[in-house]
Amino acid sequence: MFQVRQGDLLLTKIDTKKGKAVKQTVENGRLVLLRGEQTGHAHTVEADKATLKSWEDILMLEVKEDTELTHDEHNPIPLDPGVYEVRTQRRFNYDDLPSPQRQAMFD
């Protein structure tokens, strides 16, 4: 399984061609996959080389030719053609849980 992580974005290469095109956000020729909550910077790929698709509540990126995943705060990551599942990763802070729930997790 091939995975790429850039900040809070995780791409996992999958074997499927299913899916229907979904609304694309394109800015300056770049397809926006995810926009950062704090800075507003976006994870993007070249819009003419990829498309976003959806199938059974799974967001997918179909890369048609070699491109790079870019973000202002991270190094670019090369992407080969194929279909990638798109996921957002979040940090989980146990300290945000109420004390009884936090304690129950470690008992």
Side-chain angles (χ1 to χ4, degrees), residues 9-71:
L9 179 71
L10 175 69
L11 299 180
T12 303
K13 198 164 192 180
I14 57 176
D15 292 324
T16 187
K17 292 288 184 185
K18 296 179 181 180
K20 296 181 180 180
V22 297
K23 184 179 178 201
Q24 315 282 310
T25 301
V26 177
E27 297 174 0
N28 300 318
R30 309 285 304 172
L31 177 62
V32 177
L33 305 180
L34 177 68
R35 186 169 305 283
E37 293 176 355
Q38 303 264 326
T39 64
H41 295 153
H43 299 272
T44 66
V45 296
E46 294 173 81
D48 60 344
K49 295 185 177 181
T51 187
L52 284 174
K53 299 167 71 173
S54 178
W55 180 68
E56 293 187 359
D57 297 328
I58 298 171
L59 184 62
M60 296 174 287
L61 174 69
E62 183 174 8
V63 176
K64 300 176 222 168
E65 53 186 284
D66 290 347
T67 190
E68 288 184 331
L69 175 64
T70 62
H71 185 279

Side-chain angles (χ1 to χ4, degrees), residues 4 11 16 19 26 42 50 60 68 72 75-76 80 87 102 104-105:
V4 171
L11 299 180
T16 187
V26 177
M60 296 174 287
E68 288 184 331
D72 291 341
N75 292 329
D80 295 331
R87 293 202 177 246
R102 191 171 53 243
M105 295 182 85

Side-chain angles (χ1 to χ4, degrees), residues 1-5 10-13 77 79 84 89:
M1 173 185 341
F2 178 77
Q3 292 185 319
V4 171
R5 181 174 184 268
L10 175 69
L11 299 180
T12 303
K13 198 164 192 180
I77 298 173
L79 294 177
Y84 299 81
Q89 296 187 309

